[in-house]
Structures are given as C-alpha cells and as structure tokens.
Amino acid sequence: MTKVKKAVIPAAGLGTRVLPASKAMPKEMLTIVDKPAIQYIVEEAVESGIEDILIITNRGKTVIEDHFDRSFELESKLLSSKKEKAYEEIKKISQMANIYYIRQKETKGLGHAVYCAKSFVGDDPFAVLYGDDIIINKNNKPACLQLCEAYDKYNLGVVGIKEVSDEQILSYSSLKVSKIEDKIYKVLDMIEKPTPDKVLSNFSILGRCVLDKNIFDLLENLPAGKNGEIQLTDAMAAITKTTGMIGVNYDGIRYDIGNKLEILKAIVEIGLDHVEIGKEFNNYLKNKFL
Ligand code: UTP
C-alpha cells in the first residue's frame, strides 16, 4: 500500500452552478442513485488506503457531518424491525475512516480551502479529492490510489489529469506536459482558466492531487488569482517551475457534481450498474427510448 494516509476533501464551495438545488443542501450531498456524492469520494479514499480524512466545510454544511456520524435512533429502529442489511450499511458509513472537519470561514477559493488543512497535514503527504468530483473506476484501482502510487514512485507532487475539449480547457486549468511513460507525464507548467492564447495543452487537472507541506508556504502569501479566488493551481504552478510535478492520466470516469448535465450522467451510468435496480432501470430506458 501507499505511504499516503491522509486526505483532504474541500467541500466548502457555494455550488452556484447547481442552484437552486444547492441553496440549502450542499452540492456534495446531492443524491447519486442512493448515496450522497461525497460518500463515493470518501469510499474512493478509503479504498486507496487513506486512514484520516479532513473535510473542509462551511456554514450550512453540517448535514455532511451528520451523514458520517452514528445515528442511534435510526440504527435501533432498523434492528428492531429486522432490517439488518440496512442497519449494517448505515453503521458502516460512520466507521469508514477517521473523519475530521474544519470550517473555511470565507469562501476564498480552492487554494484557501486547502490551506485550512495545514495543521491536520503536519509533515505528511496528503491526497486532495475535490468534493464535487466523483471518479468511478469499475473493478479497478481507484483514481486516488493511482496518484498515490505515482507519488511513492517519483517522490514529487502529483495531479490527476485528463484531456478535455478546446472549449472546456478555458474554464479548467491547462498544463504543459512531457510524457515519461504510459499515462504518466512530467508537468512543467500550468495555468488556471487560460485565455485562448495562453492554453498550454488540452490536459487539465481533474479532481485529484497528492501534495506535501511545501504547498502551504506557497499558499500562505498567494494573491487572489482568476475570479478573485486563491487558486490552488497558482501555487502548484510554482512547484512545476522548480521540482516539477507528475501528471497521472488516471483510469476512471469523472463526473462533476457541480454541473447539472454531469449529475444526470452520473445518476444514469451509476444507476445502470447498481446491483439492486440496474437491470430494471436498463429495461425502463430501453422501453421508454428505443
Ligand atoms: P468549484 O469551483 O468547483 O466549487 O471548486 P464551487 O465554488 O462550489 O463552484 P461554483 O460556485 O458552482 O462555480 C472545487 C471544489 O473546491 C471546493 C468546492 O466545494 C469543490 O468541491 N471549494 C471551492 C472550497 O472548499 N472552498 C472554496 O472557497 C472554493
């Protein structure tokens, strides 16, 4: 297993792209078939060997803490009504990992959210799993583990990367890369939300990275970047210019739960594979649309 044992899940964004759903309900808690989005992310971390998870929250997100807590009344009701399977499932959620919480007091951007993890991280390497990015890799290594293994191998910070369209790259980050081996790249530079003349390639950071404490010195004095936010990409860009970073074009399908169309894709594709309702859902779609 990997030496990366800690993870940070920033989940303090305002979710303005999925309003009104995210007005009172954090987008990280939106239901994807039968689980809130953030549970898929915690499960991916746990399956990657992560033991301690810090979730960055803010006002209005206490429902995330409730979800990963014990629920004694519900558990005893399930037991007394002989719903053992549901009981086990519910209890398991509260035992998956050591989960800690800290509030980002102002929504100043992803870089600022990650900075809130400084004392939790200490001297250890840590994975960052963006709270609105579900990555599914059926029957294979979780994306987070693929990145942690690259961290172990190269001893450099790692970003999860994928190629996106010319249009998408303008609202994501763009990376300058050179190939090292299959699916592994050296990252030599990066820019957040480039204008068309500043695009470095169609490779973008999507949803996951592995960092160490060096990032905090860079984040500490970082001025606000694109959209007036403290951008994690700007701090990582400084690392790419010194030691460089590693890019892993991970296996897995990523769904951005901060985007309405991607929420629907996640529900349909995860629903089709669901053990209980997958077959019936498949038949429903065929009868209705074919
Ligand atoms: P996003 O930019 O996708 O989230 O950040 P957002 O700000 O909620 O998006 P909009 O409003 O729809 O454009 C990526 C991740 O970083 C977290 C978000 O919760 C999301 O999981 N984040 C973002 C923070 O924790 N704090 C912030 O200040 C900004």
Side-chain angles (χ1 to χ4, degrees):
M1 267 289 178
T2 158
K3 60 183 172 200
V4 184
K5 298 287 172 212
K6 289 183 178 173
V8 174
I9 303 181
L14 297 177
T16 55
R17 289 168 295 146
V18 284
L19 283 168
S22 55
K23 184 174 175 237
M25 172 65 80
K27 64 176 166 178
E28 295 82 6
M29 286 298 291
L30 294 177
T31 308
I32 306 299
V33 188
D34 58 359
K35 289 190 263 189
I38 197 165
Q39 189 177 330
Y40 291 88
I41 297 167
V42 168
E43 285 172 355
E44 180 193 329
V46 172
E47 283 158 22
S48 302
I50 300 291
E51 292 166 0
D52 295 303
I53 298 173
L54 177 71
I55 302 181
I56 317 283
T57 65
N58 66 10
R59 285 171 294 277
K61 303 234 181 185
T62 46
V63 67
I64 297 179
E65 295 182 39
D66 294 341
H67 183 72
F68 292 105
D69 197 358
R70 292 290 299 270
S71 178
F72 291 107
E73 193 184 353
L74 175 64
E75 287 171 26
S76 66
K77 182 82 192 154
L78 291 171
L79 269 186
S80 65
S81 49
K82 303 249 175 303
K83 294 186 172 155
E84 279 94 1
K85 199 166 160 250
Y87 166 76
E88 290 303 334
E89 180 105 37
I90 292 302
K91 203 168 133 207
K92 204 178 77 192
I93 296 170
S94 62
Q95 297 172 331
M96 281 196 287
N98 303 316
I99 304 186
Y100 308 84
Y101 302 90
I102 192 166
R103 283 191 181 201
Q104 182 189 16
K105 295 192 180 68
E106 284 176 76
T107 315
K108 288 187 182 172
L110 178 59
H112 181 258
V114 169
Y115 187 76
C116 297
K118 187 177 174 185
S119 56
F120 165 80
V121 163
D123 293 332
D124 300 315
F126 65 105
V128 181
L129 296 92
Y130 299 14
D132 56 356
D133 279 324
I134 294 181
I135 301 176
I136 302 291
N137 193 21
K138 280 188 254 169
N139 315 319
N140 266 315
K141 247 181 224 174
C144 177
L145 181 55
Q146 297 171 47
L147 268 67
C148 292
E149 288 182 349
Y151 177 85
D152 291 346
K153 181 167 176 187
Y154 294 96
N155 216 12
L156 288 173
V158 182
V159 284
I161 64 174
K162 290 243 168 250
E163 276 184 294
V164 301
S165 68
D166 291 349
E167 197 194 344
Q168 285 172 317
I169 199 77
L170 306 178
S171 48
Y172 293 175
S173 56
S174 171
L175 312 186
K176 183 177 174 190
V177 296
S178 91
K179 192 165 181 173
I180 302 178
E181 54 175 301
D182 188 34
K183 299 198 174 271
I184 308 280
Y185 296 78
K186 185 93 189 242
V187 182
L188 305 162
D189 199 2
M190 60 176 72
I191 178 170
E192 183 67 24
K193 298 183 180 54
T195 49
D197 57 315
K198 295 271 165 51
V199 170
L200 300 168
S201 79
N202 281 35
F203 274 113
S204 185
I205 303 166
L206 291 190
R208 304 287 179 263
C209 44
V210 177
L211 298 165
D212 61 27
K213 64 176 180 180
N214 293 328
I215 197 75
F216 298 115
D217 290 340
L218 295 163
L219 285 171
E220 191 158 5
N221 301 308
L222 199 66
K226 290 280 158 60
N227 297 346
E229 296 186 341
I230 311 280
Q231 296 287 354
L232 182 61
T233 308
D234 293 345
M236 293 195 290
I239 302 178
T240 60
K241 286 176 188 134
T242 52
T243 57
M245 291 183 78
I246 297 296
V248 175
N249 185 356
Y250 56 80
D251 289 325
I253 303 175
R254 169 238 184 208
Y255 303 98
D256 175 6
I257 299 306
N259 172 298
K260 293 174 191 179
L261 183 60
E262 296 254 324
I263 294 174
L264 278 181
K265 286 183 191 170
I267 292 173
V268 170
E269 292 176 25
I270 294 172
L272 283 170
D273 281 333
H274 194 278
V275 278
E276 265 169 57
I277 48 113
K279 224 170 143 199
E280 225 176 301
F281 184 43
N282 203 331
N283 289 337
Y284 161 77
L285 289 181
K286 276 190 194 145
N287 293 337
K288 184 100 184 158
F289 301 107
L290 290 183

